[in-house]
Amino acid sequence: MEAVKLVEFDLKQTLTRLMTHLFGDGLDIRWVDCYFPFTHPSFEMEINFHGEWLEVLGCGVMEQQLVNSAGAQDRIGWAFGLGLERLAMILYDIPDIRLFWSEDEPIGGDLVEKVDLIDKFEHPKTRKTSHCYRITYRHMERTLSQKEVRRVHQAVQEAAVQLLAVEGRF
């Protein structure tokens, strides 16, 4: 979500108050200098989330030329953007942003992070097609053992043969 506000006050203080209102008084917030086009100075707000700093919004003072072109020469323009998925992570205690963007079928459960097609071959005589996939397994909170990965991978293999009616060469 992105917005622009023409103000006569410091938006950093207002945004800090907003975050405190949303998440409570004990919120650990820090402001980090950064760069965004058309704003100077520019900042990111980070919140300490489970012991790690999580960037939740970016903001900055708009270039005066942009403010003047809007007919607001006596105002300061602040541009800011909130990472809505990052706010949802804090509100609902979601441990990993990747959970919002996963499009893979749940054959391998929560342990399948990504599936990539890395090679495709068609035999010139038989016209049979062979696909090679790379599957990335990852637990959100701990290192997986080889035994766990083998068990999940076996289930993925069996499901591929059964559900997709393919001949597996695993």
Short mmCIF file of all heavy atoms in Angstrom, two decimals, residues 99-148:
data_model
loop_
_atom_site.label_atom_id
_atom_site.label_comp_id
_atom_site.label_asym_id
_atom_site.label_seq_id
_atom_site.Cartn_x
_atom_site.Cartn_y
_atom_site.Cartn_z
N LEU A 99 5.11 -17.85 3.21
CA LEU A 99 3.81 -18.52 3.33
C LEU A 99 2.72 -17.78 2.55
O LEU A 99 1.73 -18.38 2.13
CB LEU A 99 3.41 -18.65 4.80
CG LEU A 99 4.27 -19.59 5.62
CD1 LEU A 99 3.90 -19.52 7.08
CD2 LEU A 99 4.15 -21.01 5.10
N PHE A 100 2.88 -16.48 2.32
CA PHE A 100 1.90 -15.71 1.57
C PHE A 100 1.98 -16.00 0.07
O PHE A 100 1.01 -15.80 -0.65
CB PHE A 100 2.11 -14.21 1.76
CG PHE A 100 1.75 -13.73 3.12
CD1 PHE A 100 2.75 -13.38 4.02
CD2 PHE A 100 0.44 -13.61 3.53
CE1 PHE A 100 2.43 -12.91 5.28
CE2 PHE A 100 0.11 -13.16 4.78
CZ PHE A 100 1.11 -12.81 5.66
N TRP A 101 3.14 -16.41 -0.41
CA TRP A 101 3.37 -16.47 -1.85
C TRP A 101 3.51 -17.88 -2.40
O TRP A 101 3.77 -18.05 -3.58
CB TRP A 101 4.62 -15.65 -2.20
CG TRP A 101 4.54 -14.30 -1.59
CD1 TRP A 101 5.35 -13.80 -0.61
CD2 TRP A 101 3.59 -13.27 -1.88
NE1 TRP A 101 4.96 -12.52 -0.28
CE2 TRP A 101 3.88 -12.18 -1.04
CE3 TRP A 101 2.52 -13.17 -2.76
CZ2 TRP A 101 3.15 -11.00 -1.06
CZ3 TRP A 101 1.79 -12.00 -2.76
CH2 TRP A 101 2.10 -10.94 -1.93
N SER A 102 3.34 -18.89 -1.58
CA SER A 102 3.49 -20.26 -2.05
C SER A 102 2.35 -20.61 -3.01
O SER A 102 1.19 -20.42 -2.70
CB SER A 102 3.48 -21.23 -0.87
OG SER A 102 3.53 -22.55 -1.35
N GLU A 103 2.71 -21.13 -4.18
CA GLU A 103 1.72 -21.54 -5.17
C GLU A 103 1.78 -23.04 -5.43
O GLU A 103 1.05 -23.56 -6.26
CB GLU A 103 1.94 -20.78 -6.49
CG GLU A 103 1.75 -19.29 -6.34
CD GLU A 103 2.04 -18.54 -7.63
OE1 GLU A 103 2.18 -19.18 -8.69
OE2 GLU A 103 2.13 -17.32 -7.57
N ASP A 104 2.67 -23.74 -4.76
CA ASP A 104 2.85 -25.16 -4.99
C ASP A 104 1.71 -25.94 -4.35
O ASP A 104 1.18 -25.57 -3.31
CB ASP A 104 4.18 -25.64 -4.41
CG ASP A 104 5.36 -25.01 -5.12
OD1 ASP A 104 5.23 -24.76 -6.33
OD2 ASP A 104 6.38 -24.77 -4.47
N GLU A 105 1.32 -27.03 -4.99
CA GLU A 105 0.32 -27.94 -4.43
C GLU A 105 0.90 -28.55 -3.15
O GLU A 105 2.10 -28.74 -3.04
CB GLU A 105 -0.03 -29.02 -5.43
CG GLU A 105 -0.78 -28.50 -6.65
CD GLU A 105 -2.13 -27.92 -6.30
OE1 GLU A 105 -2.81 -28.46 -5.41
OE2 GLU A 105 -2.52 -26.92 -6.93
N PRO A 106 0.06 -28.89 -2.21
CA PRO A 106 0.55 -29.36 -0.90
C PRO A 106 0.96 -30.81 -0.85
O PRO A 106 0.85 -31.43 0.20
CB PRO A 106 -0.66 -29.09 0.00
CG PRO A 106 -1.84 -29.22 -0.90
CD PRO A 106 -1.39 -28.70 -2.23
N ILE A 107 1.45 -31.39 -1.94
CA ILE A 107 1.86 -32.81 -1.91
C ILE A 107 2.94 -33.03 -0.86
O ILE A 107 2.90 -33.98 -0.10
CB ILE A 107 2.35 -33.27 -3.31
CG1 ILE A 107 1.19 -33.35 -4.27
CG2 ILE A 107 3.04 -34.62 -3.21
CD1 ILE A 107 1.58 -33.65 -5.68
N GLY A 108 3.93 -32.17 -0.82
CA GLY A 108 5.03 -32.31 0.13
C GLY A 108 4.78 -31.60 1.44
O GLY A 108 5.67 -31.50 2.27
N GLY A 109 3.59 -31.06 1.63
CA GLY A 109 3.26 -30.35 2.85
C GLY A 109 4.01 -29.03 2.96
O GLY A 109 4.45 -28.45 1.95
N ASP A 110 4.15 -28.54 4.17
CA ASP A 110 4.80 -27.26 4.42
C ASP A 110 6.30 -27.31 4.19
O ASP A 110 6.96 -26.28 4.21
CB ASP A 110 4.55 -26.80 5.86
CG ASP A 110 3.10 -26.44 6.09
OD1 ASP A 110 2.39 -26.18 5.09
OD2 ASP A 110 2.67 -26.41 7.25
N LEU A 111 6.86 -28.48 3.99
CA LEU A 111 8.31 -28.59 3.84
C LEU A 111 8.79 -28.30 2.41
O LEU A 111 9.97 -28.09 2.20
CB LEU A 111 8.79 -29.99 4.26
CG LEU A 111 8.49 -30.36 5.71
CD1 LEU A 111 9.04 -31.75 6.01
CD2 LEU A 111 9.06 -29.33 6.66
N VAL A 112 7.89 -28.29 1.42
CA VAL A 112 8.28 -27.96 0.05
C VAL A 112 8.24 -26.45 -0.10
O VAL A 112 7.19 -25.83 -0.05
CB VAL A 112 7.36 -28.64 -0.99
CG1 VAL A 112 7.72 -28.18 -2.40
CG2 VAL A 112 7.47 -30.15 -0.88
N GLU A 113 9.43 -25.89 -0.26
CA GLU A 113 9.52 -24.43 -0.42
C GLU A 113 9.32 -24.02 -1.88
O GLU A 113 8.69 -23.03 -2.17
CB GLU A 113 10.89 -23.94 0.07
CG GLU A 113 11.10 -22.46 -0.12
CD GLU A 113 12.46 -22.02 0.34
OE1 GLU A 113 12.63 -21.80 1.56
OE2 GLU A 113 13.36 -21.91 -0.51
N LYS A 114 9.91 -24.80 -2.80
CA LYS A 114 9.90 -24.40 -4.20
C LYS A 114 10.11 -25.61 -5.09
O LYS A 114 10.83 -26.54 -4.73
CB LYS A 114 11.03 -23.38 -4.40
CG LYS A 114 11.13 -22.78 -5.76
CD LYS A 114 12.05 -21.58 -5.81
CE LYS A 114 13.49 -21.95 -5.59
NZ LYS A 114 14.41 -20.86 -5.92
N VAL A 115 9.47 -25.58 -6.27
CA VAL A 115 9.66 -26.62 -7.28
C VAL A 115 10.04 -25.92 -8.58
O VAL A 115 9.31 -25.05 -9.05
CB VAL A 115 8.38 -27.46 -7.48
CG1 VAL A 115 8.59 -28.50 -8.58
CG2 VAL A 115 7.95 -28.12 -6.18
N ASP A 116 11.20 -26.26 -9.13
CA ASP A 116 11.68 -25.65 -10.37
C ASP A 116 11.87 -26.70 -11.45
O ASP A 116 12.48 -27.75 -11.20
CB ASP A 116 13.04 -24.96 -10.15
CG ASP A 116 12.96 -23.77 -9.23
OD1 ASP A 116 12.07 -22.92 -9.45
OD2 ASP A 116 13.78 -23.69 -8.30
N LEU A 117 11.37 -26.43 -12.66
CA LEU A 117 11.68 -27.25 -13.81
C LEU A 117 13.05 -26.80 -14.31
O LEU A 117 13.22 -25.65 -14.72
CB LEU A 117 10.63 -27.06 -14.91
CG LEU A 117 10.91 -27.77 -16.24
CD1 LEU A 117 10.93 -29.28 -16.07
CD2 LEU A 117 9.87 -27.35 -17.28
N ILE A 118 14.05 -27.69 -14.24
CA ILE A 118 15.41 -27.26 -14.61
C ILE A 118 15.88 -27.83 -15.94
O ILE A 118 16.86 -27.35 -16.51
CB ILE A 118 16.44 -27.58 -13.49
CG1 ILE A 118 16.50 -29.07 -13.21
CG2 ILE A 118 16.13 -26.78 -12.24
CD1 ILE A 118 17.65 -29.44 -12.27
N ASP A 119 15.17 -28.85 -16.47
CA ASP A 119 15.56 -29.39 -17.77
C ASP A 119 14.36 -30.11 -18.38
O ASP A 119 13.53 -30.69 -17.68
CB ASP A 119 16.73 -30.36 -17.62
CG ASP A 119 17.34 -30.74 -18.97
OD1 ASP A 119 17.24 -29.93 -19.92
OD2 ASP A 119 17.91 -31.84 -19.07
N LYS A 120 14.28 -30.05 -19.72
CA LYS A 120 13.23 -30.74 -20.46
C LYS A 120 13.87 -31.35 -21.70
O LYS A 120 14.64 -30.68 -22.40
CB LYS A 120 12.14 -29.73 -20.85
CG LYS A 120 10.96 -30.33 -21.55
CD LYS A 120 9.91 -29.26 -21.82
CE LYS A 120 8.75 -29.86 -22.60
NZ LYS A 120 7.71 -28.86 -22.86
N PHE A 121 13.56 -32.61 -21.95
CA PHE A 121 14.15 -33.30 -23.10
C PHE A 121 13.07 -34.07 -23.84
O PHE A 121 12.22 -34.72 -23.22
CB PHE A 121 15.25 -34.28 -22.63
CG PHE A 121 15.75 -35.18 -23.71
CD1 PHE A 121 16.62 -34.72 -24.68
CD2 PHE A 121 15.34 -36.51 -23.77
CE1 PHE A 121 17.09 -35.55 -25.69
CE2 PHE A 121 15.80 -37.35 -24.77
CZ PHE A 121 16.68 -36.87 -25.73
N GLU A 122 13.08 -33.99 -25.16
CA GLU A 122 12.17 -34.79 -25.97
C GLU A 122 13.01 -35.72 -26.84
O GLU A 122 13.87 -35.26 -27.60
CB GLU A 122 11.29 -33.91 -26.85
CG GLU A 122 10.26 -34.71 -27.62
CD GLU A 122 9.32 -33.85 -28.44
OE1 GLU A 122 8.99 -32.75 -27.97
OE2 GLU A 122 8.93 -34.28 -29.53
N HIS A 123 12.74 -37.03 -26.73
CA HIS A 123 13.48 -38.01 -27.52
C HIS A 123 13.07 -37.86 -28.99
O HIS A 123 11.87 -37.85 -29.30
CB HIS A 123 13.19 -39.44 -27.02
CG HIS A 123 14.12 -40.45 -27.59
ND1 HIS A 123 13.97 -40.99 -28.86
CD2 HIS A 123 15.23 -41.04 -27.06
CE1 HIS A 123 14.92 -41.84 -29.10
NE2 HIS A 123 15.71 -41.90 -28.00
N PRO A 124 14.06 -37.75 -29.89
CA PRO A 124 13.72 -37.48 -31.30
C PRO A 124 12.95 -38.61 -31.98
O PRO A 124 12.16 -38.33 -32.89
CB PRO A 124 15.08 -37.25 -31.96
CG PRO A 124 16.09 -37.78 -31.02
CD PRO A 124 15.49 -37.80 -29.65
N LYS A 125 13.14 -39.85 -31.56
CA LYS A 125 12.45 -40.97 -32.23
C LYS A 125 11.14 -41.32 -31.55
O LYS A 125 10.10 -41.48 -32.20
CB LYS A 125 13.36 -42.19 -32.29
CG LYS A 125 14.56 -42.01 -33.20
CD LYS A 125 15.38 -43.26 -33.27
CE LYS A 125 16.60 -43.03 -34.16
NZ LYS A 125 17.47 -44.19 -34.21
N THR A 126 11.15 -41.47 -30.22
CA THR A 126 9.95 -41.91 -29.50
C THR A 126 9.00 -40.76 -29.19
O THR A 126 7.85 -40.99 -28.86
CB THR A 126 10.33 -42.61 -28.18
OG1 THR A 126 10.94 -41.65 -27.32
CG2 THR A 126 11.24 -43.80 -28.44
N ARG A 127 9.51 -39.53 -29.23
CA ARG A 127 8.75 -38.31 -28.91
C ARG A 127 8.32 -38.27 -27.43
O ARG A 127 7.47 -37.47 -27.05
CB ARG A 127 7.52 -38.14 -29.81
CG ARG A 127 7.76 -38.24 -31.31
CD ARG A 127 8.90 -37.43 -31.82
NE ARG A 127 8.57 -36.02 -31.97
CZ ARG A 127 9.48 -35.11 -32.30
NH1 ARG A 127 10.72 -35.48 -32.51
NH2 ARG A 127 9.16 -33.87 -32.42
N LYS A 128 8.90 -39.15 -26.63
CA LYS A 128 8.63 -39.09 -25.19
C LYS A 128 9.37 -37.89 -24.61
O LYS A 128 10.48 -37.58 -25.03
CB LYS A 128 9.10 -40.37 -24.48
CG LYS A 128 8.20 -41.55 -24.68
CD LYS A 128 8.63 -42.69 -23.76
CE LYS A 128 7.67 -43.83 -23.83
NZ LYS A 128 8.03 -44.90 -22.89
N THR A 129 8.72 -37.27 -23.64
CA THR A 129 9.30 -36.09 -23.01
C THR A 129 9.76 -36.44 -21.60
O THR A 129 9.07 -37.15 -20.87
CB THR A 129 8.26 -34.95 -22.94
OG1 THR A 129 7.80 -34.67 -24.26
CG2 THR A 129 8.86 -33.69 -22.36
N SER A 130 10.91 -35.92 -21.25
CA SER A 130 11.46 -36.11 -19.91
C SER A 130 11.65 -34.74 -19.26
O SER A 130 12.21 -33.84 -19.87
CB SER A 130 12.80 -36.85 -20.01
OG SER A 130 13.38 -36.98 -18.74
N HIS A 131 11.15 -34.61 -18.03
CA HIS A 131 11.32 -33.37 -17.26
C HIS A 131 12.20 -33.65 -16.05
O HIS A 131 12.06 -34.69 -15.40
CB HIS A 131 9.98 -32.84 -16.76
CG HIS A 131 9.08 -32.37 -17.85
ND1 HIS A 131 7.77 -32.04 -17.62
CD2 HIS A 131 9.28 -32.17 -19.17
CE1 HIS A 131 7.21 -31.65 -18.74
NE2 HIS A 131 8.10 -31.72 -19.69
N CYS A 132 13.04 -32.69 -15.72
CA CYS A 132 13.86 -32.79 -14.51
C CYS A 132 13.49 -31.62 -13.60
O CYS A 132 13.56 -30.45 -14.02
CB CYS A 132 15.35 -32.74 -14.87
SG CYS A 132 16.42 -32.80 -13.42
N TYR A 133 13.08 -31.93 -12.39
CA TYR A 133 12.66 -30.91 -11.43
C TYR A 133 13.63 -30.86 -10.25
O TYR A 133 14.14 -31.88 -9.81
CB TYR A 133 11.26 -31.21 -10.89
CG TYR A 133 10.18 -31.06 -11.93
CD1 TYR A 133 9.77 -32.15 -12.69
CD2 TYR A 133 9.57 -29.83 -12.13
CE1 TYR A 133 8.79 -32.01 -13.65
CE2 TYR A 133 8.59 -29.69 -13.09
CZ TYR A 133 8.19 -30.78 -13.85
OH TYR A 133 7.22 -30.64 -14.79
N ARG A 134 13.82 -29.67 -9.74
CA ARG A 134 14.57 -29.48 -8.49
C ARG A 134 13.54 -29.08 -7.42
O ARG A 134 12.80 -28.11 -7.61
CB ARG A 134 15.61 -28.38 -8.61
CG ARG A 134 16.33 -28.10 -7.27
CD ARG A 134 17.33 -26.97 -7.36
NE ARG A 134 18.38 -27.33 -8.30
CZ ARG A 134 18.74 -26.58 -9.34
NH1 ARG A 134 18.14 -25.44 -9.57
NH2 ARG A 134 19.69 -26.97 -10.15
N ILE A 135 13.50 -29.84 -6.35
CA ILE A 135 12.58 -29.54 -5.25
C ILE A 135 13.41 -29.07 -4.07
O ILE A 135 14.35 -29.74 -3.64
CB ILE A 135 11.77 -30.79 -4.85
CG1 ILE A 135 10.99 -31.31 -6.05
CG2 ILE A 135 10.82 -30.45 -3.70
CD1 ILE A 135 10.26 -32.62 -5.79
N THR A 136 13.07 -27.91 -3.54
CA THR A 136 13.75 -27.36 -2.37
C THR A 136 12.87 -27.60 -1.15
O THR A 136 11.72 -27.16 -1.11
CB THR A 136 14.01 -25.84 -2.53
OG1 THR A 136 14.74 -25.63 -3.73
CG2 THR A 136 14.77 -25.28 -1.33
N TYR A 137 13.41 -28.34 -0.19
CA TYR A 137 12.72 -28.62 1.06
C TYR A 137 13.31 -27.72 2.14
O TYR A 137 14.52 -27.57 2.25
CB TYR A 137 12.91 -30.08 1.47
CG TYR A 137 12.36 -31.07 0.46
CD1 TYR A 137 13.20 -31.71 -0.45
CD2 TYR A 137 11.01 -31.36 0.44
CE1 TYR A 137 12.70 -32.62 -1.36
CE2 TYR A 137 10.49 -32.28 -0.48
CZ TYR A 137 11.35 -32.90 -1.38
OH TYR A 137 10.85 -33.80 -2.28
N ARG A 138 12.43 -27.13 2.95
CA ARG A 138 12.93 -26.29 4.04
C ARG A 138 11.86 -26.21 5.13
O ARG A 138 10.69 -26.01 4.85
CB ARG A 138 13.25 -24.88 3.55
CG ARG A 138 13.95 -24.03 4.61
CD ARG A 138 14.29 -22.64 4.11
NE ARG A 138 14.70 -22.55 2.74
CZ ARG A 138 15.96 -22.62 2.30
NH1 ARG A 138 16.94 -22.81 3.15
NH2 ARG A 138 16.23 -22.50 1.02
N HIS A 139 12.28 -26.37 6.35
CA HIS A 139 11.40 -26.16 7.51
C HIS A 139 11.55 -24.70 7.92
O HIS A 139 12.64 -24.13 7.81
CB HIS A 139 11.81 -27.09 8.66
CG HIS A 139 10.78 -27.17 9.73
ND1 HIS A 139 10.61 -26.19 10.67
CD2 HIS A 139 9.84 -28.12 10.00
CE1 HIS A 139 9.63 -26.51 11.48
NE2 HIS A 139 9.14 -27.69 11.10
N MET A 140 10.47 -24.10 8.36
CA MET A 140 10.49 -22.68 8.71
C MET A 140 11.31 -22.38 9.96
O MET A 140 11.76 -21.26 10.13
CB MET A 140 9.07 -22.17 8.94
CG MET A 140 8.16 -22.32 7.76
SD MET A 140 8.57 -21.17 6.46
CE MET A 140 7.31 -21.57 5.28
N GLU A 141 11.50 -23.37 10.83
CA GLU A 141 12.11 -23.07 12.12
C GLU A 141 13.34 -23.90 12.48
O GLU A 141 14.00 -23.61 13.46
CB GLU A 141 11.05 -23.26 13.22
CG GLU A 141 9.88 -22.32 13.05
CD GLU A 141 8.69 -22.69 13.92
OE1 GLU A 141 8.74 -23.77 14.56
OE2 GLU A 141 7.72 -21.93 13.94
N ARG A 142 13.64 -24.94 11.71
CA ARG A 142 14.77 -25.79 12.10
C ARG A 142 15.36 -26.48 10.87
O ARG A 142 14.77 -26.48 9.79
CB ARG A 142 14.33 -26.84 13.12
CG ARG A 142 13.28 -27.78 12.59
CD ARG A 142 12.87 -28.82 13.63
NE ARG A 142 11.78 -29.64 13.15
CZ ARG A 142 11.90 -30.63 12.29
NH1 ARG A 142 13.09 -30.95 11.82
NH2 ARG A 142 10.85 -31.32 11.89
N THR A 143 16.50 -27.10 11.04
CA THR A 143 17.15 -27.85 9.97
C THR A 143 16.51 -29.22 9.85
O THR A 143 16.26 -29.90 10.86
CB THR A 143 18.65 -28.01 10.28
OG1 THR A 143 19.23 -26.72 10.43
CG2 THR A 143 19.36 -28.76 9.17
N LEU A 144 16.23 -29.62 8.62
CA LEU A 144 15.64 -30.94 8.38
C LEU A 144 16.72 -32.01 8.39
O LEU A 144 17.85 -31.78 7.97
CB LEU A 144 14.95 -30.97 7.01
CG LEU A 144 13.71 -30.10 6.87
CD1 LEU A 144 13.30 -30.02 5.41
CD2 LEU A 144 12.59 -30.66 7.72
N SER A 145 16.36 -33.21 8.84
CA SER A 145 17.29 -34.34 8.77
C SER A 145 17.15 -35.00 7.40
O SER A 145 16.13 -34.86 6.72
CB SER A 145 16.98 -35.35 9.88
OG SER A 145 15.75 -36.00 9.60
N GLN A 146 18.16 -35.76 6.99
CA GLN A 146 18.11 -36.50 5.73
C GLN A 146 16.93 -37.48 5.74
O GLN A 146 16.27 -37.68 4.72
CB GLN A 146 19.43 -37.25 5.50
CG GLN A 146 20.58 -36.36 5.12
CD GLN A 146 20.38 -35.77 3.73
OE1 GLN A 146 19.79 -36.38 2.85
NE2 GLN A 146 20.88 -34.57 3.53
N LYS A 147 16.69 -38.09 6.88
CA LYS A 147 15.59 -39.06 7.01
C LYS A 147 14.25 -38.39 6.74
O LYS A 147 13.40 -38.95 6.02
CB LYS A 147 15.61 -39.68 8.41
CG LYS A 147 14.60 -40.77 8.61
CD LYS A 147 14.73 -41.37 10.01
CE LYS A 147 13.71 -42.47 10.23
NZ LYS A 147 13.83 -43.05 11.56
N GLU A 148 14.03 -37.19 7.29
CA GLU A 148 12.79 -36.46 7.05
C GLU A 148 12.62 -36.11 5.57
O GLU A 148 11.54 -36.28 5.00
CB GLU A 148 12.75 -35.16 7.86
CG GLU A 148 12.60 -35.35 9.35
CD GLU A 148 12.72 -34.02 10.07
OE1 GLU A 148 13.83 -33.42 10.03
OE2 GLU A 148 11.71 -33.59 10.65
#
